[in-house]
Structure formats: C-alpha cells, structure tokens
Amino acid sequence: MLIAYDGTEFRGWAKQPGVRTVQGSIEEALERMVGSPLKLSVAGRTDAGVHASGQVASFPAPLAIDPIRVQRALNAGLAPEVVVRDARLVPDGFDARRRATAREYAYRIDTGPVPDPFMARFVWHRPGQLSVTSMRRGARLLVGEHDFSSFCRSPKLPASTVRDLRRLSVSAKGQYVEIRALANSFLQQMVRSLVGTLVAVGDGKRDPETMAVVLAARSRAAAGQIAPPYGLTLVRVTYGKH
Amino acid sequence: MLIAYDGTEFRGWAKQPGVRTVQGSIEEALERMVGSPLKLSVAGRTDAGVHASGQVASFPAPLAIDPIRVQRALNAGLAPEVVVRDARLVPDGFDARRRATAREYAYRIDTGPVPDPFMARFVWHRPGQLSVTSMRRGARLLVGEHDFSSFCRSPKLPASTVRDLRRLSVSAKGQYVEIRALANSFLQQMVRSLVGTLVAVGDGKRDPETMAVVLAARSRAAAGQIAPPYGLTLVRVTYGKH
C-alpha cells in the first residue's frame, strides 16, 4: 500500500497501547475488514507529528483479497487524514521494510515574518533569512557513507550507526527553504537533526566546514538542535527491480 | 489589517454569542490589548468553514496605537490559525467594508480518485473529471452586471440582488480545478452557488447555455447545489486609489 497522511494528530506511525498512531488506525480498520488481526511492515517508522506522502506498508494477506477493496475500505474509514493512494498484491515474501532500498524525506522551512495558516501544519515557521549557499556547502560534507551517530537520538543506538546518505539538497523558493534527504535508511531523528544543524549553518551560528568535525565526534552533543517534527514528510520509498 | 485564516475550526467570520468565530477571536484579543471593546469592520463576511488569505478588517483605534504592536499581539495569541499579515494606520473614516471596491474568491476542487491529506482542509474533493471547456462557456454567460438572486441563499434576500461579476474564470492544473470569482461584492453563498452550478455543467448534467435561463429565473431552485465551504478562500480585497 502506498500511503499518505497528515501526521499532526497522530503519535507517530508505530502502534502503541492507548495512543492514536497511524499503524494502529490502519491495522484496526484492516482487522474489521478481514476479521482477523494483521501486522503491517512499514518502510519508514515516522515519529509523532511527521507526515508522509509516499509511505509504503505491506502485510501478509490471509486470503485472496482484492487490493481495490482494501483501498476503498481503508479510505472510507480513515480519509482524508490517512489515505491509501494505491494498493496492490505483491509476491509472497515481499516486505515493505526489508525490501526498501532507499527512503527520501523532505523538510520544509518557512522563513517569512509571519506564518501561513494554509501551510502551518506542514512547515517549520522559523522567521529570518537563511544562507542557502552555506547550507549547501555544509550539506555536501555530510553526503556519503558515514557513521551518523552524532545525528541520532542518543538513548537508543542501533547495532550499526553507519548510513549511506546519497543526497542532501537545499533549495529555496520565495520564503520557503526545502531540504531533501535520500539514504538507504535513516537513524532515529536523523533527518530532523541534520536539518537543525544545517539551519544553524544557514543562520551563521556554525561554520559549514565544521560538519566534518560533527560527524567525526560521533556524539549527539556535537550536532545542532533537532528541528520540530511537523516540517518533515516521508516523500518516497524505493525498491529494487525485483 | 490584512488577515489570513484557516476557517476549518471557526463558525465563520461574524461574531455570534457562544460560538467560536474569527471576528470574535480577534476582537477579544484586541480588547485584551487596548482594554476597551472594539468592533471590526470587514470586507468579506465569510461563512463557517470558509478560509481567507487576503481578508481586510479595520477598527477605529481609541488611541495612538502602534500597528506593529497590534500585529504582534494578535499573532502571538492567534497564529498560525489566524494570522495578521500586515497592519497599518489608515485615515479617519476609512472602513474596510464600505471602502472596498472589489472582492476576489478562489474555489479549489480536487478531481482525483483519492483525497490528498495535505490539501484536504482547503479543497472540495469531488472525484471524476470535469469539462473545463464547458465550465468556461457557462462562466462567460454569468459574467456582468446581473440580478444574481438565483445564486443567493434564499431566506435573507438583501435590498438589491444585483451584483457586478467582473470575472469568473476556470483553470485546471493536474487533478485540481480552480474557479476564481471577482465582483464588487457578493450575495450570501453566491460563490459556492456559482461553483456548484458550474460543476454540474462540467459534469455534463447541465448545458452551459442554460446559465442565462438560471439567471433570468431569479429563483434559488433554478441553480445547482451549493458547493461545500471548505474549498472556498477569500484571496483579495481591492480599494480605490484614495
């Protein structure tokens, strides 16, 4: 299933007892439809308040199920906050998380003097100009296969903190600045931490050349603040040819 | 004051006892600031659920007041749902409603198969293609100075139902159709009634040539359904040179 959601009113993707999550909402609706519990595998476990336009989730279907009916039933119950954009049958053994080869996130910043009510749920309103040139210079030093532990939420370090950051671009359009990050996978809060650090660079508070030092430090304290969740959207998940 | 708002959670602009309205929220915040009650004059009294990106409201300031401080105080309390985009002092006797020479509204329709969570608050999701060519043909017959009582909410007809509809354009971009309406002023629910009727034309349910008949009928029953409020945004108010 290709899924989009406004994450504002959810405590993130991952199911947790007693709170409203995207996974929990979809699994409940699926269970009502097929009559037995199902567990979703997902490409990007987004945090509370983070959005998705191109999330991918899969589940082992217990019977010959019509993907169009699944899409309609879920949208009837969950849209427009959560929308199944597409649904299709995949070969046995496909798993949305394990088979994903890359994830792409977009982070949007509004640098204008006052917020825009139409964009407020999906951007970080942070008034004041940012130097896109400096941010790009800093971003270039972060691209590549590195140990990103400086950009990972500290308490829960996974076995490996090496990730292949294939692209980290910064673009500006009017008062909006967009940062796009593409990697094989991301550590927890990694994109928001990259964004917070690049914003400090764009602000002139950090020198773009220090990005190499931040990486080498392998310590959360070396990076900048973590940007707020609502500016972040998972836009695309890539799978191999097979 | 130039004002933008997401009208989703408001019962419209106009103050009413016991319900949350845009006027009520702004007047309360102003009263807290200046210490005495103030009454806003507004260019467009938007209905419940209708948005604005370029609303204009004025009030007689009881003392030498700094417009920048007014803007900051209101935004501190109301943004990002309601945002004062600009505030300035105007000559005595200026009145945002009486001095307005034109109002422009935009109505957005999403014709795609599934809604978009990022746009859902601000568009009418109405799946299925619309003939923009037919809609434009119908729109051309509605432009001009006419008695628009067929497009006015019946119970409350004002003294005159003649309005000068200067522009009624239909444009398409991908799955989105946008209708723009510009007039000296509008009758109640007039834009939504024009939109509902044009959608019936775009759907093939009405012939574009019948628009002249609808106008001539001077009866609400002659027009099409009223489009839902959430697709509608007041985008601009025009004032004369003085």
Side-chain angles (χ1 to χ4, degrees):
Chain A
M1 299 189 292
L2 179 67
I3 301 169
Y5 47 86
D6 172 351
T8 310
E9 309 289 343
F10 290 100
R11 290 289 298 273
W13 171 271
K15 197 171 183 170
Q16 296 173 63
V19 297
R20 189 167 181 252
T21 69
V22 184
Q23 181 184 16
S25 302
I26 299 177
E27 287 184 358
E28 271 172 36
L30 276 173
E31 186 170 340
R32 274 195 301 274
M33 187 188 175
V34 304
S36 59
L38 288 167
K39 199 174 168 339
L40 292 173
S41 167
V42 75
R45 284 169 56 104
T46 52
D47 286 333
V50 175
H51 319 287
S53 59
Q55 176 71 283
V56 180
S58 64
F59 61 90
L63 64 167
I65 203 168
D66 177 3
I68 301 293
R69 275 194 54 231
V70 171
Q71 181 185 20
R72 284 202 190 127
L74 291 181
N75 285 343
L78 306 172
E81 207 176 4
V82 175
V83 172
V84 177
R85 296 176 53 195
D86 195 11
R88 57 181 72 165
L89 292 172
V90 284
D92 271 348
F94 176 88
D95 179 286
R97 183 179 69 76
R98 283 187 292 111
R99 293 298 173 110
T101 54
R103 282 94 174 156
E104 185 175 1
Y105 283 88
Y107 196 99
R108 296 185 184 99
I109 304 165
D110 178 359
T111 68
V114 295
D116 176 346
F118 301 91
M119 297 293 288
R121 296 164 84 88
F122 309 112
V123 302
W124 176 22
H125 179 244
R126 192 218 129 273
Q129 253 200 306
L130 290 170
S131 164
V132 171
T133 312
S134 299
M135 292 170 79
R136 281 183 182 146
R137 206 176 305 147
R140 267 198 296 273
L141 295 169
L142 295 165
V143 169
E145 193 170 78
H146 301 292
D147 180 337
F148 281 98
S149 46
S150 294
F151 296 95
C152 181
R153 188 184 162 206
S154 326
K156 291 183 181 179
L157 284 190
S160 166
T161 48
V162 174
R163 293 294 183 275
D164 183 16
L165 183 60
R166 294 174 195 158
R167 193 182 146 203
L168 184 64
S169 66
V170 184
S171 60
K173 195 176 169 183
Q175 73 199 57
Y176 293 97
V177 172
E178 183 175 277
I179 296 171
R180 289 239 174 190
L182 175 75
N184 59 335
S185 73
F186 288 91
L187 300 170
Q188 209 182 350
Q189 297 188 342
M190 178 169 153
V191 183
R192 289 163 57 197
S193 178
L194 289 167
V195 168
T197 308
L198 286 180
V199 164
V201 168
D203 247 351
K205 288 187 194 123
R206 274 169 185 269
D207 192 290
E209 314 306 326
T210 61
M211 293 302 104
V213 182
V214 175
L215 273 176
R218 295 179 195 189
S219 152
R220 183 69 202 87
Q225 64 164 336
I226 291 173
Y230 41 87
L232 187 62
T233 302
L234 171 60
V235 293
R236 193 170 289 112
V237 183
T238 308
Y239 292 90
K241 279 188 185 163
H242 307 293
Chain B
M1 298 189 294
L2 179 67
I3 302 169
Y5 46 86
D6 171 352
T8 311
E9 309 289 343
F10 290 99
R11 290 289 298 272
W13 171 270
K15 198 171 181 170
Q16 296 174 62
V19 297
R20 189 166 181 253
T21 69
V22 184
Q23 181 183 16
S25 301
I26 298 178
E27 287 184 358
E28 270 172 37
L30 276 173
E31 187 171 338
R32 274 195 301 274
M33 187 187 173
V34 303
S36 59
L38 290 168
K39 198 171 166 343
L40 293 172
S41 167
V42 76
R45 285 170 55 103
T46 52
D47 285 333
V50 175
H51 320 285
S53 57
Q55 176 71 281
V56 179
S58 63
F59 62 91
L63 65 167
I65 203 169
D66 178 2
I68 301 294
R69 274 195 56 230
V70 171
Q71 182 185 20
R72 284 204 190 127
L74 292 181
N75 285 344
L78 306 172
E81 207 175 3
V82 176
V83 172
V84 178
R85 294 176 54 196
D86 196 11
R88 57 181 72 165
L89 292 173
V90 285
D92 271 347
F94 175 88
D95 180 286
R97 184 180 66 77
R98 282 185 294 111
R99 295 295 173 111
T101 54
R103 282 94 174 157
E104 185 176 1
Y105 284 88
Y107 196 99
R108 297 186 182 98
I109 303 164
D110 177 0
T111 69
V114 296
D116 176 346
F118 301 91
M119 298 292 288
R121 296 165 85 88
F122 310 111
V123 302
W124 176 21
H125 179 243
R126 192 219 130 272
Q129 254 200 303
L130 290 170
S131 165
V132 171
T133 312
S134 299
M135 292 169 79
R136 281 183 183 148
R137 206 177 304 148
R140 267 198 295 274
L141 297 169
L142 295 165
V143 170
E145 193 169 76
H146 302 292
D147 180 338
F148 281 99
S149 47
S150 294
F151 295 95
C152 181
R153 188 183 162 207
S154 329
K156 292 184 180 179
L157 283 190
S160 166
T161 47
V162 173
R163 293 292 183 275
D164 182 16
L165 183 61
R166 295 174 195 157
R167 194 182 145 202
L168 186 63
S169 66
V170 184
S171 60
K173 194 176 168 182
Q175 72 199 57
Y176 293 97
V177 172
E178 183 176 277
I179 297 171
R180 288 240 174 190
L182 175 74
N184 60 335
S185 73
F186 288 91
L187 300 170
Q188 210 181 353
Q189 297 188 340
M190 178 170 154
V191 183
R192 289 163 56 196
S193 177
L194 288 167
V195 168
T197 308
L198 286 180
V199 164
V201 168
D203 247 352
K205 288 186 192 123
R206 275 170 184 268
D207 192 291
E209 315 305 327
T210 62
M211 292 302 102
V213 182
V214 176
L215 273 176
R218 295 180 197 188
S219 151
R220 183 70 203 87
Q225 66 164 334
I226 290 173
Y230 40 87
L232 185 62
T233 302
L234 171 60
V235 293
R236 191 170 290 112
V237 183
T238 308
Y239 291 90
K241 279 188 186 164
H242 307 290

Coordinates of all heavy atoms in Angstrom, one line a residue, chain B residues 92-128:
Chain B
D92 N -8.8 58.6 9.2 CA -10.1 58.6 9.9 C -11.2 58.4 8.8 O -11.2 59.0 7.8 CB -10.4 59.9 10.6 CG -9.8 59.9 12.0 OD1 -9.5 58.7 12.5 OD2 -9.7 60.9 12.6
G93 N -12.2 57.6 9.2 CA -13.3 57.4 8.3 C -13.1 56.3 7.3 O -14.1 55.8 6.6
F94 N -11.9 55.7 7.2 CA -11.7 54.5 6.4 C -12.5 53.4 7.0 O -12.5 53.2 8.2 CB -10.2 54.1 6.3 CG -10.0 52.8 5.6 CD1 -9.8 52.9 4.2 CD2 -10.0 51.6 6.2 CE1 -9.6 51.7 3.5 CE2 -9.8 50.4 5.5 CZ -9.6 50.5 4.1
D95 N -13.1 52.6 6.2 CA -13.9 51.4 6.7 C -13.7 50.3 5.7 O -13.9 50.4 4.5 CB -15.4 51.8 6.7 CG -16.3 50.7 7.2 OD1 -16.5 49.8 6.5 OD2 -16.7 50.8 8.4
A96 N -13.2 49.2 6.3 CA -12.7 48.0 5.4 C -13.9 47.5 4.5 O -13.7 47.1 3.4 CB -12.2 46.9 6.3
R97 N -15.1 47.6 5.1 CA -16.2 47.1 4.3 C -16.7 48.1 3.3 O -16.8 47.8 2.1 CB -17.4 46.6 5.2 CG -18.6 46.0 4.4 CD -19.7 45.6 5.4 NE -20.3 46.7 6.0 CZ -21.2 47.5 5.4 NH1 -21.6 47.3 4.1 NH2 -21.8 48.5 6.0
R98 N -17.0 49.3 3.7 CA -17.7 50.3 2.9 C -16.7 50.8 1.8 O -17.2 51.1 0.7 CB -18.2 51.4 3.7 CG -19.6 51.0 4.4 CD -20.3 52.2 5.1 NE -19.5 52.6 6.2 CZ -18.8 53.8 6.3 NH1 -18.9 54.7 5.3 NH2 -18.1 54.1 7.4
R99 N -15.4 50.8 2.1 CA -14.5 51.3 1.1 C -14.0 50.3 0.1 O -13.3 50.7 -0.9 CB -13.3 52.0 1.8 CG -13.6 53.2 2.6 CD -14.1 54.4 1.7 NE -14.6 55.5 2.5 CZ -14.0 56.7 2.5 NH1 -12.9 56.9 1.8 NH2 -14.5 57.6 3.3
A100 N -14.3 49.0 0.3 CA -13.8 48.0 -0.6 C -14.5 48.2 -2.0 O -15.8 48.3 -2.0 CB -14.1 46.6 0.0
T101 N -13.8 48.1 -3.1 CA -14.4 48.2 -4.4 C -14.6 46.9 -5.1 O -15.4 46.8 -6.0 CB -13.6 49.2 -5.3 OG1 -12.2 48.7 -5.3 CG2 -13.6 50.6 -4.7
A102 N -13.8 45.9 -4.6 CA -14.0 44.5 -5.2 C -13.5 43.5 -4.2 O -12.6 43.7 -3.4 CB -13.3 44.4 -6.5
R103 N -14.0 42.3 -4.4 CA -13.6 41.1 -3.6 C -13.3 40.0 -4.6 O -14.0 39.8 -5.6 CB -14.7 40.6 -2.7 CG -14.9 41.4 -1.4 CD -16.0 42.4 -1.6 NE -16.3 43.1 -0.3 CZ -16.8 44.3 -0.2 NH1 -17.1 45.0 -1.3 NH2 -17.0 44.8 1.0
E104 N -12.2 39.2 -4.3 CA -11.9 38.1 -5.2 C -11.8 36.8 -4.3 O -11.2 36.8 -3.3 CB -10.6 38.3 -5.9 CG -10.3 37.2 -6.9 CD -9.1 37.4 -7.7 OE1 -8.4 38.5 -7.5 OE2 -8.7 36.6 -8.6
Y105 N -12.6 35.8 -4.8 CA -12.5 34.5 -4.1 C -12.0 33.4 -5.1 O -12.1 33.5 -6.3 CB -14.0 34.0 -3.8 CG -14.6 34.7 -2.6 CD1 -15.2 36.0 -2.7 CD2 -14.4 34.2 -1.3 CE1 -15.8 36.6 -1.6 CE2 -15.0 34.8 -0.2 CZ -15.7 36.0 -0.3 OH -16.2 36.6 0.8
A106 N -11.3 32.4 -4.5 CA -10.8 31.2 -5.2 C -11.5 30.0 -4.6 O -11.6 29.9 -3.4 CB -9.3 31.1 -5.1
Y107 N -12.0 29.1 -5.5 CA -12.6 27.9 -5.1 C -11.8 26.7 -5.7 O -11.6 26.7 -6.9 CB -14.1 27.8 -5.5 CG -14.8 26.7 -4.7 CD1 -15.5 27.0 -3.6 CD2 -14.6 25.4 -5.1 CE1 -16.1 26.0 -2.8 CE2 -15.1 24.3 -4.3 CZ -15.9 24.7 -3.2 OH -16.5 23.7 -2.4
R108 N -11.3 25.8 -4.9 CA -10.5 24.7 -5.4 C -11.2 23.4 -5.3 O -11.7 23.0 -4.2 CB -9.1 24.7 -4.6 CG -8.4 26.0 -4.9 CD -7.0 26.1 -4.3 NE -6.4 27.4 -4.6 CZ -6.4 28.4 -3.7 NH1 -6.9 28.3 -2.5 NH2 -5.9 29.6 -4.1
I109 N -11.1 22.6 -6.4 CA -11.7 21.3 -6.4 C -10.6 20.3 -6.8 O -9.8 20.5 -7.7 CB -12.8 21.3 -7.6 CG1 -13.9 22.4 -7.3 CG2 -13.4 19.9 -7.7 CD1 -14.7 22.7 -8.5
D110 N -10.6 19.2 -6.0 CA -9.7 18.1 -6.3 C -10.5 17.0 -7.0 O -11.4 16.4 -6.4 CB -9.1 17.6 -5.0 CG -8.2 16.4 -5.2 OD1 -8.0 15.9 -6.3 OD2 -7.7 15.9 -4.2
T111 N -10.2 16.8 -8.3 CA -11.0 15.8 -9.1 C -10.3 14.4 -9.1 O -10.8 13.5 -9.7 CB -11.2 16.2 -10.5 OG1 -9.9 16.2 -11.2 CG2 -11.8 17.6 -10.6
G112 N -9.2 14.2 -8.3 CA -8.5 13.0 -8.3 C -9.3 11.9 -7.6 O -10.2 12.1 -6.9
P113 N -8.9 10.6 -7.8 CA -9.6 9.5 -7.2 C -9.6 9.4 -5.7 O -10.6 9.0 -5.1 CB -8.9 8.2 -7.8 CG -7.6 8.7 -8.3 CD -7.7 10.2 -8.6
V114 N -8.5 9.8 -5.1 CA -8.5 9.8 -3.6 C -8.1 11.2 -3.1 O -7.4 11.9 -3.8 CB -7.5 8.7 -3.1 CG1 -8.0 7.3 -3.4 CG2 -6.1 8.9 -3.5
P115 N -8.5 11.6 -1.9 CA -8.1 12.9 -1.4 C -6.6 13.0 -1.1 O -6.0 12.0 -0.9 CB -9.0 13.1 -0.1 CG -9.4 11.7 0.3 CD -9.4 10.8 -1.0
D116 N -6.1 14.2 -1.0 CA -4.8 14.5 -0.6 C -4.8 15.0 0.8 O -5.3 16.1 1.1 CB -4.2 15.5 -1.6 CG -2.8 15.9 -1.2 OD1 -2.3 15.7 -0.1 OD2 -2.1 16.6 -2.0
P117 N -4.2 14.3 1.8 CA -4.3 14.8 3.2 C -3.7 16.2 3.4 O -4.1 16.8 4.4 CB -3.4 13.7 4.0 CG -3.1 12.6 3.1 CD -3.4 13.1 1.7
F118 N -2.8 16.6 2.5 CA -2.2 17.9 2.7 C -3.0 19.1 2.2 O -2.8 20.2 2.6 CB -0.8 17.9 2.0 CG 0.1 16.9 2.5 CD1 0.2 15.6 2.0 CD2 0.9 17.1 3.7 CE1 1.0 14.7 2.5 CE2 1.8 16.2 4.2 CZ 1.8 14.9 3.6
M119 N -4.0 18.7 1.4 CA -4.9 19.8 0.8 C -6.3 19.7 1.3 O -7.1 20.5 1.1 CB -4.9 19.6 -0.7 CG -3.6 19.7 -1.4 SD -3.0 21.5 -1.3 CE -4.2 22.2 -2.5
A120 N -6.6 18.6 2.0 CA -8.0 18.3 2.3 C -8.8 19.4 3.0 O -10.0 19.5 2.8 CB -8.0 17.0 3.2
R121 N -8.1 20.2 3.9 CA -8.8 21.2 4.6 C -9.2 22.4 3.6 O -10.1 23.2 4.0 CB -7.9 21.8 5.7 CG -7.6 20.8 6.8 CD -6.4 21.3 7.6 NE -6.8 22.2 8.7 CZ -7.2 21.8 9.9 NH1 -7.2 20.6 10.2 NH2 -7.5 22.7 10.8
F122 N -8.6 22.4 2.5 CA -8.7 23.6 1.6 C -9.3 23.4 0.2 O -9.3 24.3 -0.6 CB -7.4 24.4 1.5 CG -6.8 24.6 2.9 CD1 -5.6 23.9 3.3 CD2 -7.4 25.5 3.8 CE1 -5.1 24.1 4.5 CE2 -6.8 25.7 5.0 CZ -5.7 25.0 5.4
V123 N -9.7 22.2 0.0 CA -10.3 21.8 -1.4 C -11.5 21.0 -1.2 O -11.8 20.4 -0.1 CB -9.3 21.0 -2.3 CG1 -8.0 21.8 -2.5 CG2 -9.0 19.6 -1.7
W124 N -12.4 21.0 -2.2 CA -13.5 20.1 -2.3 C -13.1 18.9 -3.1 O -12.8 19.0 -4.3 CB -14.7 20.8 -3.0 CG -15.9 19.9 -3.2 CD1 -16.3 18.8 -2.5 CD2 -16.9 20.2 -4.1 NE1 -17.5 18.3 -3.0 CE2 -17.9 19.1 -4.0 CE3 -17.2 21.2 -5.1 CZ2 -19.0 19.1 -4.8 CZ3 -18.3 21.1 -5.9 CH2 -19.3 20.0 -5.7
H125 N -13.0 17.7 -2.4 CA -12.6 16.5 -3.1 C -13.8 15.9 -3.7 O -14.7 15.5 -3.0 CB -12.0 15.5 -2.1 CG -11.6 14.2 -2.8 ND1 -12.2 13.0 -2.5 CD2 -10.8 14.0 -3.8 CE1 -11.7 12.1 -3.3 NE2 -10.8 12.7 -4.1
R126 N -13.9 16.0 -5.0 CA -15.0 15.5 -5.8 C -14.5 14.7 -7.0 O -14.1 15.3 -8.1 CB -15.7 16.8 -6.3 CG -17.1 16.6 -6.9 CD -17.3 17.5 -8.1 NE -17.7 16.7 -9.2 CZ -16.9 16.1 -10.1 NH1 -15.6 16.1 -10.0 NH2 -17.5 15.5 -11.1
P127 N -14.3 13.4 -6.8 CA -13.6 12.6 -7.8 C -14.3 12.6 -9.1 O -15.6 12.6 -9.2 CB -13.6 11.2 -7.2 CG -14.1 11.3 -5.8 CD -14.8 12.6 -5.6
G128 N -13.5 12.5 -10.2 CA -14.1 12.4 -11.5 C -13.9 13.7 -12.3 O -14.0 14.8 -11.8

